Amino acid sequence: MKSKFLLIALLMPFVALQAQTSDSTKVITNSQMIGIGGTNVLDTYLSAEHFTGIGISYLSHTERQKTGKLWSTILEHEANLSSVKDRANKKHELEGAYNLYWGKLYKLLQINERLGVQVGGMVNASLGFIYNTSNSNNPAQARAHVNVMPTAVATYRFQLFNKPILARYEVGMNLVGVQFSPNYGQSYYEIFSRGNYDHNIVPTTIVSAPEWRHMITFDAAVSKKMTLRIGYLGNMQQSKVNGLRQHIYTHRVLIGFTRRFSIISHAL
């Protein structure tokens, strides 16, 4: 009997240590996609004409979530390049931009492992350009803004031809932000060479610079480690600041691959 009590006393510290040890699993979903589709550009600093054409995009989409947690982290890298022409097919512009999206999503609803709804917000930092090949004076326009975007995501799992499919819809709209813009009639020489500031960093809202970005994708497994993802990405950006109007509408058909993997961390 004494030996049993002695054994229990010796094992007690190890039992307590095991109880304090917790394993945390982080599930990471990463998609790499290429998109192609139409682009519509208007920038009255460069031209009063509307320009339309074809563009390509690269999108990296990553979501991280710990098991048992309601919050997840989302990170997106988006790069666009478009070649557009005016309605008379005489003038040509190049448009390009890089967008970084980072945010948090809260799992608001989950029904039978099929339907899920997340809500939250993202911060979007964007840097880009528009170059008009026909202009000799002020041929280019720089683009830069930072926006706060309320965001919602819905997912739905279903079967198609006896194969599991994951449908995902993400939508975001800007709320407030700041944007770089020359003032009406102001040249870049005045801004950068002479240092003449004229309200070039402009606070924006959903009224003065509305933006609507939405993406729908469908995932279908092609192997144990790889999933095919196809979808659509639309981004409608507008602004009316400093007496200048600008809009850039992009529509992309997406195709790429998705990987899901887990990272297990041990903590005391």
Side-chain angles (χ1 to χ4, degrees):
M1 183 65 68
K2 291 182 179 180
S3 61
K4 290 183 178 180
F5 282 115
L6 180 60
L7 180 60
I8 293 174
L10 291 173
L11 291 177
M12 282 292 291
F14 296 98
V15 174
L17 180 62
Q18 183 65 30
Q20 294 173 13
T21 303
S22 61
D23 291 345
S24 176
T25 303
K26 182 182 293 184
V27 179
I28 300 176
T29 304
N30 175 260
S31 299
Q32 305 287 329
M33 292 169 281
I34 297 293
I36 186 170
T39 303
N40 186 302
V41 177
L42 168 69
D43 190 294
T44 57
Y45 182 78
L46 300 175
S47 172
E49 285 286 339
H50 288 76
F51 290 74
T52 57
I54 298 295
I56 59 173
S57 297
Y58 164 75
L59 178 64
S60 173
H61 183 285
T62 303
E63 186 171 356
R64 299 179 175 90
Q65 184 171 18
K66 291 183 178 179
T67 55
K69 302 296 183 180
L70 296 178
W71 286 96
S72 63
T73 301
I74 189 168
L75 177 66
E76 300 182 40
H77 300 273
E78 180 187 340
N80 301 301
L81 183 63
S82 300
S83 176
V84 292
K85 293 184 178 181
D86 67 350
R87 288 171 289 184
N89 205 28
K90 293 181 178 180
K91 296 182 179 181
H92 176 233
E93 287 185 346
L94 292 174
E95 181 273 329
Y98 165 74
N99 287 275
L100 173 66
Y101 298 90
W102 180 91
K104 290 285 188 178
L105 298 175
Y106 177 79
K107 186 182 291 186
L108 183 66
L109 179 67
Q110 186 67 50
I111 301 177
N112 298 329
E113 299 297 327
R114 298 188 67 181
L115 175 64
V117 177
Q118 298 168 282
V119 295
M122 293 196 293
V123 176
N124 166 224
S126 178
L127 185 64
F129 69 93
I130 304 172
Y131 176 68
N132 189 308
T133 60
S134 303
N135 288 3
S136 57
N137 185 31
N138 292 336
Q141 168 76 301
R143 300 169 54 210
H145 69 247
V146 177
N147 287 332
V148 176
M149 303 180 66
T151 304
V153 174
T155 57
Y156 183 72
R157 299 179 185 273
F158 62 98
Q159 295 278 335
L160 182 64
F161 303 116
N162 294 322
K163 288 187 175 292
I165 305 295
L166 174 63
R168 183 182 186 276
Y169 179 69
E170 175 183 321
V171 60
M173 298 185 69
N174 72 309
L175 185 62
V176 293
V178 292
Q179 175 180 326
F180 166 81
S181 174
N183 216 319
Y184 183 82
Q186 183 185 28
S187 69
Y188 277 84
Y189 172 77
E190 293 178 87
I191 300 174
F192 295 108
S193 296
R194 302 185 64 180
N196 292 342
Y197 176 82
D198 188 9
H199 199 241
N200 302 126
I201 305 299
V202 187
T204 57
T205 67
I206 193 174
V207 177
S208 61
E211 178 178 350
W212 178 44
R213 181 178 186 261
H214 64 133
M215 175 172 59
I216 183 169
T217 58
F218 298 90
D219 289 358
V222 294
S223 69
K224 292 182 178 180
K225 296 183 178 181
M226 195 66 66
T227 299
L228 175 67
R229 172 170 283 192
I230 60 173
Y232 161 81
L233 172 65
N235 197 348
M236 277 59 75
Q237 300 180 14
Q238 301 181 50
S239 68
K240 186 177 182 181
V241 297
N242 288 345
L244 302 171
R245 291 190 300 122
Q246 181 186 97
H247 76 230
I248 298 176
Y249 306 146
T250 59
H251 305 274
R252 300 289 188 262
V253 176
L254 301 171
I255 186 169
F257 292 95
T258 298
R259 296 184 305 139
R260 293 180 176 86
F261 52 94
S262 302
I263 298 177
I264 301 175
S265 59
H266 303 278
L268 293 178

